[in-house]
Amino acid sequence: MKVTVVGAGIFGLCTALELSNRGHEVELIERGAIPNPESSSFDLHRLIRHAYGAQHGYAALIPDAFKAWDALWQHFGVSYYLETGALVIGETNHAWIKQSIQSLKDLDIPFEMLSKPQVEGRLPWMHAYKEDQFLFTTKGGILRASSILEAIAGQLRKQGCTLHVHTEINRCDFQNGVVYDDKGTRYGGDRLVFALGKGHSMLLPNELQVFRQVTSLHDNTPSGATVEDACPMVLDISDDHGFYYVPGASHFAAKMGDHSTKFATSATALPNPTQAEKENLATVSAYRLRDAAQWPVSKWQLCHYACTEDRTLQFRQKDKALFLFGGSGHGFKFGALFGELMCSAVEGSLGTDYVSDLISGKRSISNTF
């Protein structure tokens, strides 16, 4: 079967690789380079964790997501995952933590509730407050995002897939399974797969919204704040400040962010972080940092995400075309798994409704997959 994949973010790349591994002829189309440094998927790191609040369906998919990544590491002969553990912080009796604990118990995922002295001893650089509660899981860590994208792109080229770079699709014929670029060139085959990100939000204007998020990178950090120091990722889900921290290592910088996002009129509006956005992140971070002066910013980053209103991922089928969209940011952790699911949907071995329910977090994977 010949399959044309439009979009070379994590979902497009993983779907293309899985299709190729199963013996299909694949062409991949991207509006920028492959991988595209401007895509939502391209970053030093993305996180994978078991705690997922009320989204129990996504929590149930995390063990399968780890298995899919492990299969990819075996295929590459190298792993791009660093286990750090995950520390979630919230006010006492915060609903998100209570809901996460229930999921962890249901899924038999080990966890522990740490005390304030335990957290202060392990993370001397961070403020811990008496009203905080601390949920810790040893499983969870950093997916080295840009390295993963580069490895998949290299493997696709090695396997003889056709990669079309700097190709803007502006017309689609779903019934016949073909698309056309802005020069009128025709692409297509037996199936189309659209892995839609911020650059394709115009294809689903009523379902995709573009958001922006500012982060800061830090090459120099205080003692206790690196992967080598056994520092975990930190996710503060408190209602009035949305801080998160990704520990750096000897070969990459640490990252801080505010996991709340701001609506953007488009993916091209205000291409750089504003001074107000930088100041807001500095304020949010200062609530947790004992000494902000020890955290010089090496680089400010701005990322655009294409999300559905409730931030769930969605799957659609229209004639010969299949669509995967809506999970920019938190969806990266499911890249390898959803690539497998999309490939099975293309082949028809998994039903459309079943795949849709999995991707939107409404059900867990049955033993038949």
Side-chain angles (χ1 to χ4, degrees):
M1 185 184 301
K2 181 181 179 182
V3 184
T4 299
V5 180
V6 180
I10 188 60
F11 294 133
L13 284 167
C14 285
T15 300
L17 183 59
E18 184 67 18
L19 286 163
S20 177
N21 289 344
R22 297 191 196 184
H24 299 290
E25 181 184 352
V26 178
E27 66 175 350
L28 179 61
I29 302 173
E30 169 58 38
R31 64 199 302 265
I34 297 179
N36 187 352
E38 301 301 318
S39 72
S40 300
S41 297
F42 199 94
D43 200 350
L44 287 176
H45 13 53
R46 287 287 185 264
L47 303 178
I48 182 167
R49 51 183 164 76
H50 284 282
Y52 237 100
Q55 293 180 296
H56 302 297
Y58 285 134
L61 290 178
I62 294 296
D64 295 290
F66 272 113
K67 291 177 184 177
W69 287 119
D70 287 341
L72 197 62
W73 311 148
Q74 186 173 4
H75 187 66
F76 291 154
V78 62
S79 173
Y80 295 103
Y81 169 70
L82 289 172
E83 185 128 296
T84 63
L87 178 66
V88 181
I89 307 173
E91 299 94 342
T92 302
N93 296 319
H94 194 289
W96 200 95
I97 290 185
K98 292 172 69 175
Q99 292 156 347
S100 295
I101 290 172
Q102 187 59 56
S103 287
L104 294 170
K105 289 180 177 178
D106 292 344
L107 297 167
D108 199 26
I109 304 297
F111 71 93
E112 58 181 317
M113 302 303 297
L114 301 182
S115 67
K116 180 174 178 288
Q118 285 177 308
V119 171
E120 290 173 330
R122 183 167 179 179
L123 304 177
W125 54 268
M126 191 185 80
H127 280 301
Y129 299 96
K130 63 180 181 181
E131 62 269 21
D132 290 333
Q133 58 179 341
F134 307 94
L135 169 64
F136 179 71
T137 58
T138 56
K139 187 73 173 176
I142 300 168
L143 293 165
R144 294 172 53 199
S146 56
S147 296
I148 292 170
L149 301 180
E150 290 163 354
I152 297 175
Q155 189 65 35
L156 289 171
R157 293 185 173 98
K158 187 183 299 184
Q159 293 179 194
C161 299
T162 302
L163 277 58
H164 301 286
V165 300
H166 303 290
T167 301
E168 190 82 46
I169 297 301
N170 63 4
R171 187 158 63 94
C172 307
D173 181 349
F174 303 133
Q175 187 172 3
N176 292 306
V178 296
V179 294
Y180 300 85
D181 66 17
D182 51 4
K183 298 173 184 171
T185 305
R186 180 183 186 273
Y187 308 89
D190 300 294
R191 290 287 188 275
L192 288 173
V193 173
F194 289 87
L196 302 177
K198 64 175 184 179
H200 303 93
S201 56
M202 73 290 293
L203 289 175
L204 296 165
N206 297 322
E207 298 192 68
L208 279 178
Q209 297 177 315
V210 178
F211 294 83
R212 53 192 281 132
Q213 184 182 75
V214 173
T215 59
S216 58
L217 297 181
H218 305 262
D219 290 321
N220 298 308
T221 58
S223 176
T226 67
V227 172
E228 290 84 356
D229 295 325
C231 179
M233 70 168 98
V234 177
L235 178 63
D236 184 348
I237 48 82
S238 302
D239 293 331
D240 56 350
H241 45 272
F243 171 82
Y244 70 88
Y245 176 67
V246 185
S250 58
H251 51 296
F252 59 81
K255 181 169 70 177
M256 292 184 198
D258 178 352
H259 57 72
S260 62
T261 53
K262 179 181 178 182
F263 177 74
T265 54
S266 75
T268 56
L270 294 175
N272 298 305
T274 66
Q275 186 60 34
E277 287 172 325
K278 294 177 183 179
E279 291 174 358
N280 177 72
L281 178 54
T283 299
V284 169
S285 302
Y287 182 80
R288 286 295 170 194
L289 304 181
R290 288 191 176 276
D291 185 357
Q294 290 187 311
W295 297 84
V297 176
S298 305
K299 182 181 179 181
W300 293 98
Q301 292 189 141
L302 175 65
C303 189
H304 284 92
Y305 298 122
C307 304
T308 55
E309 186 175 356
D310 63 358
R311 308 301 173 91
T312 61
L313 292 107
Q314 297 294 319
F315 170 81
R316 300 277 191 277
Q317 182 166 1
K318 181 177 176 61
D319 300 323
K320 291 185 176 181
L322 288 77
F323 300 82
L324 175 58
F325 62 92
S328 290
H330 86 93
F332 192 102
K333 63 178 71 68
F334 298 113
L337 175 63
F338 285 2
E340 294 177 0
L341 292 175
M342 290 297 288
C343 185
S344 295
V346 168
E347 295 175 328
S349 59
L350 291 179
T352 300
D353 291 342
Y354 178 67
V355 174
S356 178
D357 285 349
L358 285 171
I359 285 175
S360 61
K362 294 179 181 178
R363 66 184 298 171
S364 57
I365 291 177
S366 70
N367 293 329
T368 59
F369 178 64

